[in-house]
Amino acid sequence: MERIQKYLAQKLRLFDSSEKVLREPSITGIIDYIKENENCKIITMAGAGISTSAGIPDFRSPSSGLYHNLAKYNLPHPQAIFELDFFMENPEPFFMLAKELLPEGFKPTPSHYFIRLLWEKGLLLRHYTQNIDTLERMAGLPPEKLVEAHGTFHTGRCLKCRAPYTLPWMKEKIIEGVIPKCEECNEGVVKPDIVLFGEMLPERFHYLTDRDFAQADLLIIMGSSLVVQPFASLVDRVRSDCPRLLINKEKVGMQDRLSRFLGLRQGLIFDERSGRDVAWIGACDAGCQLLADELGWGDELKDLIKKEHERLDAENTKKN
Ligand code: CNA
């Protein structure tokens, strides 16, 4: 078996060399690595789990996840609510759900502000998010540092004439319980610019992933089940000597048995074979605060959250 693996490794150049790049494969090893790499270029990858503490449910968590609470929408299958074909036929369930999920009164979480702090410290190469809730923008992450891989509620477009619409315009209709219809052509439904299953990912995603991942010195993955492609396999796009830290409530994205047998570079490896992958199992906010504390920015993170939440509360009071 070893000979087959070696052969494939040489011929296909797909193997994972699993170099020992961390002093120890633990959160301490990651913290030491950041401290020792002054200009460490960090990519963060996030999913719905960084927003659950803001009150926005994720997809797949048992009992609280959206997929477990869709019975009232009478869907042919749970994922249909996020499928383009189904949306074209019947947009109502999507907008009913959107009414529940709209970023109204939600505030970014400590995880969002930790990512902002990475940017302020000059360590953030890019933040890739699957989330559509706009909380990264609200946390003050500049648009050039952000890739919203599955689009965003921030803007919308008429499906017929492509006329653009803003979040406040769409929100008003959605909250009234009305399907947003285009005021230009009077025909098309206005769909938020989120990527439904069956739609292409934004051009920016492809362009920047090609550029960024080969340059990264550290990958931090937070709050994702790593099942939606092509986002999930971005973890394989970093160099083989780039450490990867998963902060999540459960271990996800692990290498499967076939890839392991073939020695392919696919998936995260959290056992003794890996010199670079670390799983920190727990809540994203706690993991981010721990990292910030150990890097000496703990109080700065707490102050930033307090200041920004007060600012958002004041803005909300003014609006209402
Ligand atoms: P998912 O498949 O629901 O997975 C979420 C993951 O996060 C799971 O592994 C959970 O165990 C974990 N998790 C949940 N809460 C926490 C927490 N507080 N701390 C640590 N871990 C936690 O969601 P993914 O993002 O992986 O799936 C991709 C979908 C989800 C994308 O297409 C998104 O558009 C979509 N989505 C986005 C939002 C949002 O914008 N906030 C909400 C719901 C779904």
Side-chain angles (χ1 to χ4, degrees), residues 97-150:
L97 180 68
K99 191 174 171 179
E100 285 180 48
L101 292 183
L102 265 179
E104 181 69 79
F106 294 130
K107 284 183 286 207
T109 67
S111 307
H112 292 95
Y113 290 111
F114 174 73
I115 299 161
R116 167 165 161 182
L117 214 49
L118 287 178
W119 162 61
E120 287 181 0
K121 303 281 174 195
L123 299 176
L124 186 70
L125 177 57
R126 204 85 60 191
H127 174 61
Y128 286 78
T129 185
Q130 297 170 94
N131 295 345
I132 49 178
D133 55 27
T134 73
L135 290 186
E136 282 98 350
R137 290 169 187 251
M138 215 187 279
L141 206 61
E144 71 272 14
K145 285 287 166 190
L146 182 60
V147 176
E148 291 164 321
H150 296 167

Side-chain angles (χ1 to χ4, degrees), residues 213-231:
F213 278 74
Q215 289 185 51
D217 299 316
L218 173 65
L219 181 66
I220 304 180
I221 307 136
M222 296 191 253
S224 175
S225 57
L226 287 183
V227 297
V228 178
Q229 297 292 358
F231 192 90

Side-chain angles (χ1 to χ4, degrees), residues 75 81 121 142 286 307:
L75 301 165
I81 201 158
K121 303 281 174 195
K307 191 185 83 197

Side-chain angles (χ1 to χ4, degrees), residues 30-298:
I30 295 280
I31 290 157
D32 289 344
Y33 177 87
I34 301 174
K35 284 180 179 163
E36 286 159 17
N37 284 274
E38 208 183 312
N39 298 313
C40 191
K41 294 195 200 93
I42 302 177
I43 291 184
T44 45
M45 279 173 64
I50 68 164
S51 295
T52 51
S53 67
I56 305 173
D58 65 8
F59 271 177
R60 292 175 185 83
S61 280
S63 75
S64 63
L66 284 174
Y67 279 161
H68 296 266
N69 294 294
L70 292 174
K72 58 187 166 196
Y73 299 114
N74 265 330
L75 301 165
H77 54 273
Q79 200 175 289
I81 201 158
F82 296 110
E83 285 173 357
L84 183 64
D85 288 348
F86 184 78
F87 180 90
M88 303 288 251
E89 252 173 56
N90 179 12
E92 204 179 332
F94 173 86
F95 285 112
M96 279 161 69
L97 180 68
K99 191 174 171 179
E100 285 180 48
L101 292 183
L102 265 179
E104 181 69 79
F106 294 130
K107 284 183 286 207
T109 67
S111 307
H112 292 95
Y113 290 111
F114 174 73
I115 299 161
R116 167 165 161 182
L117 214 49
L118 287 178
W119 162 61
E120 287 181 0
K121 303 281 174 195
L123 299 176
L124 186 70
L125 177 57
R126 204 85 60 191
H127 174 61
Y128 286 78
T129 185
Q130 297 170 94
N131 295 345
I132 49 178
D133 55 27
T134 73
L135 290 186
E136 282 98 350
R137 290 169 187 251
M138 215 187 279
L141 206 61
E144 71 272 14
K145 285 287 166 190
L146 182 60
V147 176
E148 291 164 321
H150 296 167
T152 173
F153 260 103
H154 194 63
T155 49
R157 223 157 261 284
C158 166
L159 284 177
K160 195 159 180 80
C161 73
R162 312 299 298 158
Y165 287 89
T166 61
L167 175 60
W169 183 90
M170 291 184 291
K171 205 185 236 181
E172 205 185 298
K173 311 281 174 216
I174 294 170
I175 288 169
E176 276 172 28
V178 175
I179 292 178
K181 281 273 170 66
C182 181
E183 290 173 351
E184 299 288 325
C185 69
N186 289 318
E187 278 186 48
V189 171
V190 176
K191 182 182 92 51
D193 285 337
I194 65 166
V195 179
L196 295 178
F197 291 107
E199 288 187 291
M200 305 278 280
L201 266 55
E203 196 48 46
R204 178 176 165 78
F205 171 85
H206 298 289
Y207 167 71
L208 285 174
T209 48
D210 284 348
R211 252 182 43 178
D212 289 345
F213 278 74
Q215 289 185 51
D217 299 316
L218 173 65
L219 181 66
I220 304 180
I221 307 136
M222 296 191 253
S224 175
S225 57
L226 287 183
V227 297
V228 178
Q229 297 292 358
F231 192 90
S233 49
L234 288 180
V235 301
D236 300 322
R237 303 272 299 270
V238 290
R239 297 186 315 267
S240 63
D241 64 349
C242 174
R244 301 181 291 190
L245 167 65
L246 171 76
I247 302 177
N248 210 44
K249 278 193 177 158
E250 54 184 337
K251 277 190 188 168
V252 294
M254 274 98 79
Q255 189 179 48
D256 61 36
R257 288 167 78 179
L258 180 66
S259 303
R260 181 177 177 170
F261 170 73
L262 295 175
L264 299 184
R265 224 172 105 184
Q266 175 275 327
L268 303 166
I269 302 171
F270 296 125
D271 58 31
E272 68 290 342
R273 288 172 300 136
S274 169
R276 63 168 178 144
D277 292 341
V278 173
W280 188 87
I281 301 305
C284 292
D285 294 346
C288 287
Q289 187 63 53
L290 173 69
L291 281 178
D293 288 343
E294 294 298 323
L295 291 166
W297 321 329

